Amino acid sequence: MGDLTAALCLLLTRAHFAGVPTTRALWSHVSFALDAAKEELSPEDLERRVLKACLEHPLNSTAPRDPKHITDVLRWLMEAWRERDWPAPQVLSSGILEETTDCPELCYKTYVGWGEGSTSLGNGGAEEEPETAAPKGVTLLESSGGIVHHTTGLTTWGGAAVLANWVTDNPHLISGRRVLELGAGVGFTSSVILTSFEGDLPPPEEYIATDCHHHVLTLLRHNLELNLREKPMERRELEVFQTTMGKLLVSEEVQPGQILSWTPPSPYLRLSSGTPDQLTDVPDATWQNTTKRGTRVEVMQLDWRSPSRLPEVDVILAADVVYAHHLIPPLVALIKSILSGTNPKTTKNRTRRKPRGKDTKEERKEEEIEAKVDMSADVGRETKEIVQNGDAFCNAAPDRVAYIACTRRSHETMSLFLEEVSKQGLAYSLVYQATLDTDTFLFLYNETHMPVKIYKLSLLGEDKAPSR
């Protein structure tokens, strides 16, 4: 098979199993790849390759997928064949194109090429018999929406992908260290990082994934189990969990800002086959909260406004946690307390700032703040830290650091965050930035072309935490 056909099949596999809507720009690139690949294969051979890359791919049998998305892909393929005056494949002419009315609240998506898939991707339809070697990737049960059920945590956002990429490209930052992730959501970043450590570098010693919403935490724990356990979970087990969680989301709806306590079924999370509408703790379950490389993994509920006492950690990770203005002060206060090792039992609520309008003045203000950051020549290389209340450099690497990936949805929000960081006596530097590519983006449709910036936060001078 030629390179063009292989590229088409891989692109189609990634788009299909990540549940990317066929209205997104990514599918126009699938169309271009289809036109290029027809120079290498006949329509009949292309049909066979295309179907094996998505609808007949072995990944379809590993987890229940979104039936509406499958129907949309079928319709897209039928239209693509019609536009090219090719005979429609038999599967596209069957009655499978009937409208789907019963769509689940949550569906399993596989992000091919992430985590274990980054080094052992498989062929994605590129070999003679693609069904014999399914590509690996991170599989998550999540919502296809953005803010649903009064939380942003039920779906994967673009900043999580950028942070996961950057950390796995710089594994020394967390190798052998104790890591805490804030706002872990459904577990994309943590699943990618924890399945990516190979070679000589030791993995993190400990990884604590935190969030606040009780249903998000249940999904987080389930997705970590799904991706970390050595023996794959059975499809029937996933179907029961999917149905159960869908019912719980509807029946246990919470009000905006309401927090319900979450009691983890530590150290196991399994479903009871006898009670399909309940999540239960099964003491003889096989999955341990330790990865095969030895990292201790834990899921914890954490409310930034009233945080519980946390174990000491070395590195804080977070993606897309900077969005709500009233949560910025308690978020920064929590980060500072963790970095300093004080971690008070509770943090007082801060007065919410009055939102300001977006205008060029705010844009200039953010630019002035970021102009203080001494960027290195290479994007992604760590920069020198600038002390925000003066000109002094903090050259010594702090014992504890935080890496916060921020998708800039407004200049105002970023300005408020950076101002609060300085106000609370933390140093920050911009260590990486990326613009999400609409051509290959697999996550939320409204995230494309929005820059993601990763800031390194640390303590200043004498406030710096002592060495371990």
Side-chain angles (χ1 to χ4, degrees), residues 177-246:
R177 311 200 77 188
R178 300 165 299 182
V179 180
L180 174 75
E181 184 181 352
L182 301 175
V186 292
F188 180 90
T189 300
S190 51
S191 294
V192 170
I193 290 174
L194 291 170
T195 58
S196 294
F197 266 85
E198 300 292 343
D200 298 331
L201 278 180
E205 175 185 322
E206 185 174 12
Y207 198 105
I208 304 171
T210 69
D211 212 289
C212 189
H213 194 284
H214 62 299
H215 288 325
V216 173
L217 288 162
T218 301
L219 282 180
L220 171 61
R221 190 60 181 265
H222 170 73
N223 288 333
L224 285 173
E225 176 183 6
L226 177 61
N227 288 288
L228 296 179
R229 63 180 292 187
E230 294 187 37
K231 183 180 179 181
M233 298 178 72
E234 296 293 332
R235 180 187 173 98
R236 175 55 186 160
E237 186 176 9
L238 300 183
E239 290 173 345
V240 172
F241 190 94
Q242 178 191 39
T243 302
T244 301
M245 281 304 304

Side-chain angles (χ1 to χ4, degrees), residues 405-416:
C406 305
T407 302
R408 191 173 66 183
R409 295 176 179 84
S410 76
H411 291 275
E412 177 189 9
T413 301
M414 289 308 305
S415 294
L416 289 174

